[in-house]
């Protein structure tokens, strides 16, 4: 690892990797506790809420709040207490000795403690055609891309809250939205299911999986297969939105801290990782709740645990 002087001059009490609700809540708590705090935000700062339109279930906002506004507020609060932020990706870590080192390209930053809050990213189907057509009609974010599909036919793949939210968002602009789900029951919450059932533009294709996304330079259709009979059929469409869950963003920690089989950080006593002084919060560890409010709560706990650890350091 190349070390630049700029990086090595700075020793932080806490380095927080990630800037979703977990990372920024941790930053509010550590900076308010007078701990020298650096947030390495990721190139796309703010996490998954930056891709959400309306957040209706974060306490304190009875009329809802836009995801990006909520994140901007959280960052403003952390900055107010003196937290610093680098708007880049952490590219490597060395947690084998103290102080810990976090690399951002060729720059290294040192921390007496680290809070991992790198979150999770959308899962992919793993099809060659999906990879080839990303940005050419294949999308993982309706909020970002719905505007390209005004009056058009789109497919949403998945049966969870994300898939139904995507379908609802798309129905405001697209001409027709079909949700393709591999079972005959949605996993999504009742309230979202009811909203989708009231939306005439949204239809469902049950017990069906995706075989291939069709088109050379842009999406022109989709090849589907019935789960029970394996019968294949094709539909014409202009866009395919994939909403089949998430995977944790923990690649840079492999071999450094304990991860489970799916790559989630293994935590003991809620926030403690297998390395003393390294804590975790949010979707990088939590595959059960994955809510902004639970991530924020976990960020608070990680910050308090880091503060206690530094008191004993
Ligand atoms: P999820 O709940 O894990 O749902 C993923 C969906 O994709 C499931 O229906 C699953 O099918 C399907 N799926 C998974 N792998 C697949 C594959 N390879 N091919 C086809 N289908 C596949 O993920 P999510 O919808 O992203 O939600 C994640 C968490 O965030 C949840 O806890 C959710 O409640 C929360 N969330 C909440 C809100 C909200 O409250 N407004 C909004 C978005 C997300 P099966 O059902 O058969 O497993």
């Amino acid at each position: 690892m190349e070390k630049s002087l700029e990086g090595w001059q700075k020793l932080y009490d806490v380095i927080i990797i990630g800037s979703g609700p977990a990372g920024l809540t941790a930053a509010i708590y550590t900076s308010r506790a007078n701990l020298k705090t650096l947030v390495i935000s990721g190139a796309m700062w703010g996490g998954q809420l930056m891709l959400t339109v309306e957040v209706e279930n974060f306490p304190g906002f009875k009329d809802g709040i836009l995801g990006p506004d909520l994140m901007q507020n959280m960052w403003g609060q952390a900055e107010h207490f003196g937290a610093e932020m680098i708007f880049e990706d952490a590219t490597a870590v060395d947690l084998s000795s103290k102080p810990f080192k976090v690399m951002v390209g060729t720059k290294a930053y040192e921390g007496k403690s680290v809070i991992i809050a790198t979150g999770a990213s959308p899962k992919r189907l793993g099809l060659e055609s999906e990879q080839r057509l990303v940005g050419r009609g294949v999308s993982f974010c309706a909020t970002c891309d719905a505007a390209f599909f005004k009056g058009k036919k789109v497919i949403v793949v998945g049966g969870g809250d994300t898939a139904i939210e995507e379908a609802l968002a798309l129905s405001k602009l697209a001409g027709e939205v079909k949700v393709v789900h591999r079972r005959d029951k949605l996993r999504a919450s009742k309230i979202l299911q009811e909203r989708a059932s009231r939306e005439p533009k949204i239809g469902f294709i049950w017990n069906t999986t995706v075989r291939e996304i069709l088109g050379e330079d842009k999406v022109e259709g989709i090849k589907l297969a019935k789960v029970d009979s394996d019968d294949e059929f094709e539909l014409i469409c202009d866009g395919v939105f994939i909403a089949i869950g998430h995977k944790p963003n923990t690649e840079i920690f492999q071999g450094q801290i304990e991860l489970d089989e799916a790559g989630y950080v293994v935590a003991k006593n809620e926030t403690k990782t297998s390395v003393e002084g390294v804590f975790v919060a949010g979707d990088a560890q939590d595959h059960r709740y994955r809510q902004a409010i639970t991530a924020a709560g976990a960020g608070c706990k990680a910050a308090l645990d880091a503060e206690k650890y530094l008191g004993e350091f």
Side-chain angles (χ1 to χ4, degrees):
M1 280 193 268
E2 195 185 326
K3 305 156 190 171
S4 86
L5 274 179
E6 188 188 344
W8 285 107
Q9 287 166 3
K10 300 198 174 186
L11 173 65
Y12 290 88
D13 293 315
V14 189
I15 297 181
I16 298 165
I17 311 175
S19 58
L24 293 187
T25 302
I28 292 166
Y29 272 77
T30 56
S31 54
R32 188 167 178 272
N34 238 353
L35 299 172
K36 191 169 165 56
T37 299
L38 176 68
V39 179
I40 299 176
S41 71
M44 305 261 290
W45 85 275
Q48 293 178 61
L49 282 191
M50 297 302 271
L51 308 177
T52 308
V53 190
E54 193 83 13
V55 182
E56 293 178 326
N57 51 10
F58 200 91
F61 301 94
K62 85 176 165 51
D63 299 320
I65 181 167
L66 298 177
D69 288 354
L70 180 59
M71 298 321 297
Q72 192 66 54
N73 288 352
M74 283 192 197
W75 169 236
Q77 211 173 337
E79 197 177 27
H80 168 75
F81 291 118
E84 295 171 40
M85 183 139 87
I86 293 175
F87 294 85
E88 288 180 72
D89 287 329
T91 48
V93 292
D94 180 357
L95 307 176
S96 62
S97 59
K98 293 170 188 171
F100 304 116
K101 292 165 196 68
V102 183
M103 302 296 294
V104 176
T106 55
K107 293 179 190 158
Y109 297 88
E110 290 186 313
K112 294 179 194 168
S113 67
V114 167
I115 296 175
I116 296 170
T118 44
S121 296
K123 271 192 199 159
R124 297 191 171 207
L125 292 166
L127 303 169
E128 179 279 324
S129 49
E130 169 193 39
Q131 178 68 23
R132 182 164 44 82
L133 294 166
V134 169
R136 298 159 182 237
V138 170
S139 170
F140 299 88
C141 174
T143 312
C144 321
D145 298 331
F148 301 122
F149 297 91
K150 216 169 175 180
K152 302 206 166 159
K153 288 185 179 174
V154 296
I155 300 281
V156 175
V157 185
D161 281 333
T162 306
I164 303 308
E165 276 200 337
E166 298 275 272
L168 286 164
L170 282 160
S171 69
K172 297 200 175 98
L173 288 160
E176 188 185 306
V177 183
K178 291 255 186 285
V179 178
V180 172
H181 184 35
R182 63 185 179 183
R183 291 189 298 134
D184 62 354
K185 253 194 208 89
L186 294 174
R187 183 180 292 278
S189 59
K190 275 266 155 10
I191 186 167
L192 287 177
Q193 290 196 34
E194 279 164 18
R195 278 186 207 165
S197 68
R198 284 198 299 271
E199 174 47 65
K201 281 191 201 167
I202 299 178
F204 291 89
I205 303 175
W206 305 107
N207 299 311
T208 300
T209 55
V210 180
R211 281 278 156 86
E212 196 182 338
I213 299 165
L214 306 170
E216 276 306 310
D217 301 326
K218 64 178 175 63
V219 170
E220 289 169 2
I222 192 162
K223 187 191 278 185
L224 301 169
K226 294 309 266 183
V227 171
D228 37 12
S229 61
D230 227 25
D231 286 349
E232 288 187 344
F233 60 105
E234 293 181 7
L235 294 177
I236 291 172
C237 66
D238 306 288
V240 177
F241 286 77
I242 295 156
I244 59 167
H246 294 84
K247 69 170 179 42
N249 300 320
T250 53
E251 290 84 356
I252 61 169
F253 306 109
Q254 256 164 30
Q256 303 254 354
I257 54 168
E258 192 184 344
L259 305 176
D260 71 12
E261 278 170 10
Y264 288 91
V265 177
V266 174
K268 296 170 199 89
N269 292 332
E270 304 212 30
T271 71
K272 290 179 183 155
T273 71
S274 56
V275 176
E276 196 191 23
V278 178
F279 302 88
V280 64
D283 290 10
Q285 178 269 324
D286 168 30
H287 42 80
R288 181 160 175 213
Y289 297 106
R290 293 182 289 193
Q291 301 298 300
I293 188 67
T294 52
C300 162
K301 290 179 190 175
L304 294 175
D305 286 344
E307 188 183 350
K308 186 166 182 293
Y309 164 78
L310 290 167
E312 297 159 358
F313 188 62

